[in-house]
Amino acid sequence: MAGLDFEKPIVELEKKIQELKSFMVEKKIDLSGEIKKLDDKLEQLKKDTYVNLSAWQKVQLARHPLRPYTQDYIDLMMSDFMELHGDRLFSDDKAMVCGLAKIDKKKVMVIGHQKGRDTKENLKRNFGCAHPEGYRKALRLMQMAEEFGLPIVVFIDTPGAYPGVGAEERGQSHAIALNLREMAGCAVPIVAIVIGEGGSGGALGVGVADRLAVLENSYYSVISPEGCAAILWKDGAKAPQAAEALKLTGPDLLKMGLIDEVIPEPLGGAHRDPQKIAASVKESILKSLKELASLDKDELLKLRYKKFRSMGVTA
């Protein structure tokens, strides 16, 4: 597994352990003692590396190419998924996956940004950067969910909405603004999880939720660290400094009251154990849906309004 820069010592030690295991099998030599010592050393190295990650290192993990994406979570924790397509105005945006599904036999409308695993799929998915038609598709299906009384589950994972000329010509800003307004008044429970990147209006365009959780190594921010660095210091190399200043990781967001929960990840990141993180995300979603199910429509909307109006207000 290719690692990030700060993971190189871990990757090298993992490679060495694997080579020893292969050598032991090939030569029929008992090296279990040496391998055990290296395994213990590896475990301690992982703890030393991952327990105290900087904000910039968490941003790097949020972008890890092997990290589970929306479709992975759907496959791992939901059943009977039926994808629904198109905004009925322009086209079907592959950067936004939407459809009906069941989570523990509970029917939901699921919506999420989708990145690609390789160059071909990334071009198809536009690197997870949705166009206006993606946000309009999401809104169309949210309104469908409201009509049929289905709760909405959102997976957020985007560096931002697509900023190209075509997107602007088709009303990118208007599409996101409309989603913000309409989601605020959508009379069914909305639960959102930031599973990777939560960048700017591209994330917020589907992020007006009753419950918002962020994975331990994800981020949620008004701008990317590189963008912030370019604006404030005219130097993209200062992205690590910008990441610290933006307070974009789970613990800081929770402290500021911008999110409701930080979901722990397996040691080393969500990609190290997709089944385990999917189980944790599923548990969080079901807990939130159960809490919200007891609220009637008026109380649900009242609490959602209060939640967002209180953001940024100091005692």
Side-chain angles (χ1 to χ4, degrees):
M1 180 186 294
L4 303 168
D5 287 343
F6 67 89
E7 295 180 300
K8 285 182 179 178
I10 294 173
V11 173
E12 290 172 1
L13 188 52
E14 287 176 330
K15 183 178 179 181
K16 184 175 181 180
I17 292 171
Q18 188 56 49
E19 288 174 349
L20 274 179
K21 288 180 177 178
S22 299
F23 183 78
M24 183 174 69
V25 172
E26 181 183 347
K27 301 297 182 180
K28 297 181 181 180
I29 301 173
D30 184 10
L31 299 173
S32 55
E34 288 79 359
I35 292 173
K36 176 65 167 60
K37 290 179 182 178
L38 289 177
D39 281 334
D40 292 341
K41 182 179 178 181
L42 175 62
E43 191 64 22
Q44 188 58 50
L45 182 58
K46 285 181 178 179
K47 290 178 180 178
D48 293 341
T49 301
Y50 294 117
V51 169
N52 297 302
L53 292 174
S54 68
W56 177 240
Q57 288 170 333
K58 288 189 176 184
V59 170
Q60 290 176 289
L61 276 177
R63 297 169 174 171
H64 199 289
L66 297 180
R67 195 171 179 85
Y69 297 149
T70 292
Q71 192 65 59
D72 298 311
Y73 283 102
I74 292 172
D75 294 339
L76 288 168
M77 56 182 276
M78 296 182 178
S79 62
D80 299 326
F81 176 63
M82 179 184 292
E83 187 171 359
L84 301 172
H85 301 274
D87 67 339
R88 302 296 187 265
L89 291 172
F90 184 75
S91 71
D92 181 46
D93 189 348
K94 301 297 184 182
M96 191 76 75
V97 170
C98 308
L100 297 165
K102 292 179 182 177
I103 177 168
D104 270 8
K105 298 183 179 179
K106 185 175 184 63
K107 296 176 182 178
V108 298
M109 181 69 76
V110 58
I111 292 166
H113 302 96
Q114 179 67 31
K115 297 177 179 178
R117 292 290 176 199
D118 53 35
T119 301
K120 182 178 179 180
E121 190 182 4
N122 263 319
L123 290 173
K124 173 184 173 182
R125 303 287 185 182
N126 206 40
F127 296 86
C129 299
H131 289 77
E133 47 271 23
Y135 292 100
R136 294 188 179 113
K137 174 170 67 171
L139 178 58
R140 179 176 73 83
L141 298 180
M142 288 180 195
Q143 291 169 338
M144 180 188 294
E146 182 179 22
E147 182 178 351
F148 290 101
L150 299 176
I152 298 166
V153 175
V154 181
F155 295 108
I156 296 172
D157 187 15
T158 180
Y162 186 65
V165 174
E168 295 299 330
E169 289 174 341
R170 297 193 299 278
Q172 184 72 286
S173 299
H174 179 270
I176 292 173
L178 184 62
N179 276 26
L180 301 184
R181 187 189 74 184
E182 295 301 309
M183 288 185 77
C186 187
V188 291
I190 304 175
V191 176
I193 313 286
V194 182
I195 59 174
E197 296 187 84
S200 192
L204 192 58
V206 288
V208 181
D210 302 292
R211 296 287 188 275
L212 176 61
V214 171
L215 297 195
E216 181 182 359
N217 296 313
S218 294
Y219 76 88
Y220 197 42
S221 176
V222 69
I223 192 172
S224 70
E226 295 91 337
C228 177
I231 293 171
L232 294 184
W233 293 286
K234 312 297 182 186
D235 183 2
K238 291 190 179 291
Q241 185 177 340
E244 294 292 341
L246 285 167
K247 305 295 182 185
L248 43 64
T249 62
D252 285 323
L253 295 166
L254 190 62
K255 185 177 180 181
M256 292 186 289
L258 300 178
I259 64 171
D260 301 290
E261 180 186 4
V262 178
I263 300 176
E265 295 186 25
L267 192 65
H271 60 285
R272 292 274 181 172
D273 195 338
Q275 287 79 12
K276 184 176 181 179
I277 190 61
S280 297
V281 170
K282 181 179 180 179
E283 181 182 357
S284 174
I285 290 172
L286 289 173
K287 178 184 175 183
S288 294
L289 291 178
K290 184 177 179 180
E291 292 171 353
L292 296 168
S294 63
L295 303 174
D296 62 31
K297 171 184 173 181
D298 292 337
E299 186 68 14
L300 181 74
L301 295 179
K302 180 180 177 182
L303 289 175
R304 189 184 302 161
Y305 177 83
K306 182 179 179 181
K307 175 184 178 70
F308 282 88
R309 287 293 291 175
S310 64
M311 289 182 181
V313 177
T314 57

